Amino acid sequence: MRDSGDYLFTSESVSEGHPDKVADRLSDTVLDAFLAADPYARVACETLVTTNRVVLAGETRGPDTVTPEYLAHLCRLAIHDIGYDQEGFSWKNADIACHLHAQSADIAQGVDAAGNKDEGAGDQGLMFGYACRETPALMPAPLYYAHLILRRISELRRARDPKVAGLLPDAKSQVTLRYVNGKPVGATSVVVSTQHVESLDQAEIKRMLWPLVEDTLPRGWMPAEREFYVNPTGKFVIGGPDGDCGLTGRKIIVDTYGGAAPHGGGAFSGKDPTKVDRSAAYACRYLAKNVVAAGLADRCTLQIAYAIGVAHPLSVYVDLHGTGHDIDESRLEKVLREVMDLKPRGIREHLQMNRPIYAATSAYGHFGRDPDPDLGTFTWEKTDLVPALRAAFGR
């Protein structure tokens, strides 16, 4: 996104019932099952979902007590929680095939600590983090409100609120915001597509969703009625995995910053925290958010790169987009290495990532969520580095 000027920018979100998000949820359900049994289990689980069929595949290293039958049971519970008991996809009778196998010994020897060798990164790659002042969560506004709209619909649907009676789990949203002098000032269009029962028509759903979206956006941001698009095809009865095949990791831009910042390319769901695709991306967000929360800059993009089997990061790069408040970016890069150990083990321990906390991340974004001290989720959203960062720059 541009740092200044007038322009439009759009981001989308998808609900937990979207087929790709169903796949992400099931991959993270498998991960959580292994981490609950062994905090140091290794998991790389990919999931495919289609009409009444689930396929789990990938590599694991963990206790034998986590059996294929147990994983199938947990997947059924997750599908039930999402809300699928439809003819084409039901928690009761979907066929669940488990094709997980042992982790490659070649990969394991590069990652495992041994002798004087520290734990290495689980793969090569580059990861990005981002934060800005557009929303209270320090997230880009288009994505923030796209997520918020769908979360609100989901909350009401799960509560069986009559305001959304007849809406089903699969849904998508898209929010286009107008920026003036680089700051969001209102929505020029909003799109919501939601699965529904046959008896509801397009006009009814639009009337149902208008007040919900209007209440979700900041006051005065609602677009003109003609720019509020609801189920533009006119009908959305067949949905979820019955309407479209779903795969793990196919919504990486929804998962991160909605296109407002770079993405390293690696997906998150189904991967244990030795995989820097996930853990280092979380660390990047954590550091970028703390930089902005500390008042050092209004925007911050952070990149960290790794090599498989190597503990220390190959590079740390910071871009404050010209918004730094008398902050030297080169010095900030050094300070960030000092306030947090960016080796894979250091990230895992600092953010307490060896726990079954990942199913909650699988829909509505991995970032911009409130940390839950009771569940231990979203620790990378804390701003506890603010004092150290301010002190490092004499603030």
Side-chain angles (χ1 to χ4, degrees), residues 25-343:
R25 170 72 178 273
L26 299 185
S27 289
D28 277 333
T29 294
V30 169
L31 171 60
D32 282 351
F34 274 96
L35 292 179
D38 177 1
Y40 299 99
R42 301 283 171 79
V43 179
C45 177
E46 312 289 344
T47 302
L48 176 148
V49 293
T50 186
T51 303
N52 271 330
R53 184 174 295 274
V54 173
V55 179
L56 306 174
E59 304 78 47
T60 66
R61 188 175 80 189
D64 294 337
T65 53
V66 185
T67 63
E69 294 76 18
Y70 180 57
L71 294 176
H73 169 69
L74 294 179
C75 285
R76 291 192 192 281
L77 294 180
I79 295 167
H80 179 269
D81 180 64
I82 293 169
Y84 278 115
D85 189 13
Q86 301 169 11
E87 183 179 353
F89 193 71
S90 172
W91 68 277
K92 295 175 184 174
N93 53 27
D95 178 74
I96 301 178
C98 183
H99 297 284
L100 297 166
H101 60 82
Q103 183 189 48
S104 162
D106 292 345
I107 294 176
Q109 71 177 355
V111 176
D112 292 345
N116 293 325
K117 175 186 173 299
D118 198 357
E119 178 182 301
D123 202 351
Q124 72 175 45
L126 48 138
M127 297 79 200
F128 287 92
Y130 180 73
C132 62
R133 292 200 176 278
E134 293 182 11
T135 63
L138 304 184
M139 286 289 287
L143 181 68
Y144 178 82
Y145 290 110
H147 282 326
L148 206 56
I149 288 167
L150 292 187
R151 289 185 70 181
R152 184 59 178 151
I153 294 172
S154 174
E155 290 166 0
L156 294 174
R157 178 180 61 83
R158 287 169 171 273
R160 301 184 184 278
D161 193 299
K163 290 194 288 289
V164 296
L167 300 190
L168 299 175
D170 194 357
K172 300 178 78 171
S173 66
Q174 185 170 285
V175 174
T176 299
L177 297 185
R178 179 182 299 282
Y179 283 72
V180 175
N181 295 323
K183 296 181 179 180
V185 298
T188 60
S189 67
V190 173
V191 183
V192 181
S193 295
T194 177
Q195 188 187 14
H196 58 89
V197 297
E198 183 80 51
S199 59
L200 282 179
D201 63 29
Q202 185 183 31
E204 288 178 282
I205 298 171
K206 189 170 185 176
R207 286 194 296 271
M208 181 186 296
L209 293 181
W210 175 275
L212 184 150
V213 173
E214 186 176 36
D215 288 346
T216 301
L217 296 175
R219 184 182 297 275
W221 278 32
M222 192 68 180
E225 192 276 336
R226 66 180 179 278
E227 295 296 332
F228 181 48
Y229 302 93
V230 173
N231 288 2
T233 62
K235 185 178 181 180
F236 187 3
V237 173
I238 300 172
D242 187 33
D244 191 11
C245 179
L247 294 170
T248 299
R250 207 159 55 175
K251 288 292 178 286
I252 58 175
I253 301 304
V254 170
D255 286 342
T256 54
Y257 307 103
H263 191 290
F268 301 153
S269 290
K271 296 177 180 177
D272 74 74
T274 67
K275 278 74 172 175
V276 286
D277 281 357
R278 183 171 216 161
S279 56
Y282 288 5
C284 285
R285 162 63 181 175
Y286 174 63
L287 292 174
K289 183 177 183 180
N290 275 269
V291 166
V292 174
L296 304 185
D298 295 331
R299 290 178 62 194
C300 178
T301 298
L302 179 70
Q303 184 206 62
I304 304 179
Y306 292 86
I308 188 169
V310 178
H312 63 82
L314 305 185
S315 65
V316 176
Y317 166 81
V318 173
D319 183 358
L320 301 180
H321 305 275
T323 70
H325 303 304
D326 299 320
I327 298 297
D328 178 75
E329 288 159 329
S330 297
R331 184 177 172 220
L332 179 57
E333 290 163 358
K334 295 176 182 177
V335 168
L336 293 178
R337 285 176 178 261
E338 294 169 359
V339 298
M340 184 177 185
D341 180 356
L342 294 176
K343 296 191 291 293

